[in-house]
Amino acid sequence: MWIATAVSLLVYAVGCVLAGMPAGGLTARVAALAVLAVVTARRRSLTAWTFFAILAGAELGADAPGVAVHLHVLAEIFLRLVRVIVAPLILGTLTTGIAGHGQLKSLGRVALKTLVYFEVVTTLALLIGAVAINLSRAGEGVVVPAALLAQEAPANAGAHVGFEAFLLNVFPENLVSAIGQNQILQVAVFSILFGTALALLSEEKRAPLLAVLDSMTAAMFQFTKLIMYFAPIAAGAALSYTVGSMGISTLVPLAKLLVTFYGAAAALLLLVFVPVMLVMRIPLRGFVKAVGEPTAIGFATSTSETALPLAMERMEEFGVPRWIVSFVIPSGYSFNMTGSSLYLSTAAIFAAQVAGIHLTVWQQAVMLLTLMLTSKGIAGVPRATLMILMATAASFHLPSAPILMILGVDALIDMGRTALNVAGNCLAAAVVGKWEGAGNEVPVLGEMRSSIEE
């Protein structure tokens, strides 16, 4: 089975190389996808079907863009179904974890460890992005189209909310509004306070409400499993739309930036993620198996929210206690956006290179510090990275036209950016779970439960 998969992928790669020969290249790619479909059907794995759907969607987008651009509605339906789950799932898991399992004393310690880990990893991501773009110098020689120069944004176009506004927005004013607007951090804060309040009540008074919340949480996990059967279709539709609407020709001027970002992403995995797993003794193979499907869904849909419920379920099955998973992963959506941090440093210095502005090491260090502070709390804000880049450009007197130019490949970069965010938050949950187990009962990480499909 693995041999057939490898051969079909090799044939598909050959078909991509022969793209200049429409008949031969298309025949090879379609034949490879047909064989891969048969192999995937025999495995009965959602992960395998998601991977197949990604390839098939990209092929459809390249060969039939007129059809592909109308498939985005399928991805939107999937996204809506997932958004229905996220807030109730966080509310149920975090509240019952704190109030029902006696974790009130551990909460402050875990919160401190989590934030320290988030800060270290996101800072390393910023540094790796800066080193990668300085080595590749992808912005040098790139000419900004005249149309974008005419659209030069004013200096204050990228201004975004300050620390006070962000801090105020962390706390919910209305729980129903927070759930309706899918404000993950606000729901998490409410759940922590609500769980703490329940924990301070007597067992007699809190037991009925905990039973209801526990049942709701179990129902949400079952709901997640039902929706995830639709995930491969949504993943294929999303990628099909991206390829079909953009076209390959738009990638050529910014191909070097695209390669630089994915090279930096590989460096982040090898230089940060893998060493962290080795130091914390987290089984690499088991972790990859656990995060494979959530990461693939995030990659194809370019939306972290779509992967959140499944990521929480997989990390719990990986052995991380539920209350830690339900605290770390949602908070990571505001404080541990490793993929977004990598992208921000890469794109900011790329804009300076395109503009012909030489930034000294000190100026780049100040820029990275600015990005580190302003990138917190960007989850759930549409085009938040663009907003932060515009603000940074204005602060360092950089033109905004090169940033607008990046939008041409932003969809392809966003797929890798989202996948890194998902994988990074899953790793954070595993690290904090293992870290919290030191000296007590160490969580059994890596022994996947039978509910994960082989």
Side-chain angles (χ1 to χ4, degrees), residues 78-79 238 242 261-262 265 268-269 273 291-308 311 329 332-333 336-344 378-380 383 385 410-426:
F78 178 71
L79 180 57
T242 299
F261 173 78
Y262 279 97
L268 180 67
L269 293 174
F273 284 19
V291 303
E293 189 178 332
T295 302
I297 291 172
F299 178 85
T301 61
S302 300
T303 309
S304 299
E305 286 178 338
T306 58
L308 188 146
I329 292 184
Y333 274 57
N336 189 41
M337 306 296 277
T338 49
S340 297
S341 298
L342 186 75
Y343 168 74
L344 285 170
I378 65 176
R383 292 292 183 189
T385 50
D410 186 68
L412 292 181
I413 292 178
D414 195 24
M415 292 189 293
R417 187 166 66 210
T418 304
L420 276 178
N421 289 338
V422 174
N425 285 328
C426 289

Side-chain angles (χ1 to χ4, degrees), residues 104-127:
L104 187 59
K105 294 182 180 179
S106 304
L107 184 60
R109 182 176 66 249
V110 167
L112 179 60
K113 291 177 180 179
T114 300
L115 292 177
V116 168
Y117 175 82
F118 286 169
E119 196 57 54
V120 171
V121 173
T122 52
T123 301
L124 290 175
L126 286 168
L127 289 173

Side-chain angles (χ1 to χ4, degrees), residues 243-448:
V243 176
S245 60
M246 288 181 56
I248 303 300
S249 60
T250 60
L251 307 180
V252 176
L254 298 174
K256 196 172 181 181
L257 173 63
L258 202 61
V259 172
T260 299
F261 173 78
Y262 279 97
L268 180 67
L269 293 174
L270 294 175
L271 300 179
V272 179
F273 284 19
V274 172
V276 166
M277 283 187 277
L278 293 176
V279 170
M280 299 303 298
R281 296 183 179 180
I282 297 171
L284 178 60
R285 189 173 180 179
F287 179 78
V288 171
K289 185 177 180 181
V291 303
E293 189 178 332
T295 302
I297 291 172
F299 178 85
T301 61
S302 300
T303 309
S304 299
E305 286 178 338
T306 58
L308 188 146
L310 189 62
M312 292 176 64
E313 182 180 359
R314 290 295 185 256
M315 293 316 296
E316 185 181 347
E317 291 169 339
F318 188 57
V320 183
R322 175 179 291 184
W323 74 277
I324 291 180
V325 170
S326 58
F327 174 81
V328 174
I329 292 184
S331 60
Y333 274 57
S334 286
F335 298 102
N336 189 41
M337 306 296 277
T338 49
S340 297
S341 298
L342 186 75
Y343 168 74
L344 285 170
S345 59
T346 303
I349 298 177
F350 172 84
Q353 292 175 354
V354 172
I357 299 174
H358 174 71
L359 296 175
T360 64
V361 175
W362 171 249
Q363 287 174 318
Q364 291 190 30
V366 174
M367 179 182 287
L368 294 182
L369 179 61
T370 303
L371 291 172
M372 181 183 70
L373 296 175
T374 56
S375 62
K376 305 308 179 189
I378 65 176
V381 181
R383 292 292 183 189
T385 50
L386 175 63
M387 191 165 53
I388 292 170
L389 282 174
M390 287 295 191
T392 304
S395 300
F396 288 86
H397 307 290
L398 301 177
S400 59
I403 297 174
L404 296 175
M405 187 180 179
I406 297 175
L407 293 179
V409 293
D410 186 68
L412 292 181
I413 292 178
D414 195 24
M415 292 189 293
R417 187 166 66 210
T418 304
L420 276 178
N421 289 338
V422 174
N425 285 328
C426 289
L427 179 58
V431 168
V432 174
K434 192 78 172 182
W435 201 352
E436 184 64 12
N440 301 309
E441 293 184 7
V442 181
V444 182
L445 298 182
E447 296 183 6
M448 305 292 287

Side-chain angles (χ1 to χ4, degrees), residues 1-6 8-9 29-45 48-49 51-53 55-56:
M1 188 175 295
W2 288 107
I3 295 176
T5 302
S8 60
L9 291 177
R29 295 195 301 272
V30 171
L33 287 174
V35 174
L36 194 59
V38 174
V39 174
T40 303
R42 294 179 62 186
R43 291 187 62 190
R44 290 181 158 184
S45 168
W49 274 114
F51 178 71
F52 169 77
L55 290 181

Side-chain angles (χ1 to χ4, degrees), residues 68 73 82 111 128 170 233 454:
V73 63
V82 171
I128 290 174
V170 167
I233 297 175
E454 294 296 333

Side-chain angles (χ1 to χ4, degrees), residues 186-251:
Q186 290 187 8
V187 175
V189 169
F190 173 83
S191 301
I192 292 171
L193 296 175
F194 188 47
T196 302
L198 282 178
L200 296 175
L201 295 177
S202 64
E203 178 67 25
E204 181 183 358
K205 292 184 178 181
R206 70 169 179 255
L209 188 53
L210 281 177
V212 172
L213 290 173
D214 193 52
S215 296
M216 183 188 73
T217 302
M220 287 299 103
F221 276 120
Q222 290 298 324
F223 195 178
T224 301
K225 291 178 181 179
L226 290 176
I227 292 175
M228 287 307 152
Y229 285 112
F230 187 61
I233 297 175
L239 197 56
S240 178
Y241 169 81
T242 299
V243 176
S245 60
M246 288 181 56
I248 303 300
S249 60
T250 60
L251 307 180

Side-chain angles (χ1 to χ4, degrees), residues 151-158 390 394 400:
Q151 299 175 21
E152 182 71 29
N156 61 350
M390 287 295 191
S400 59

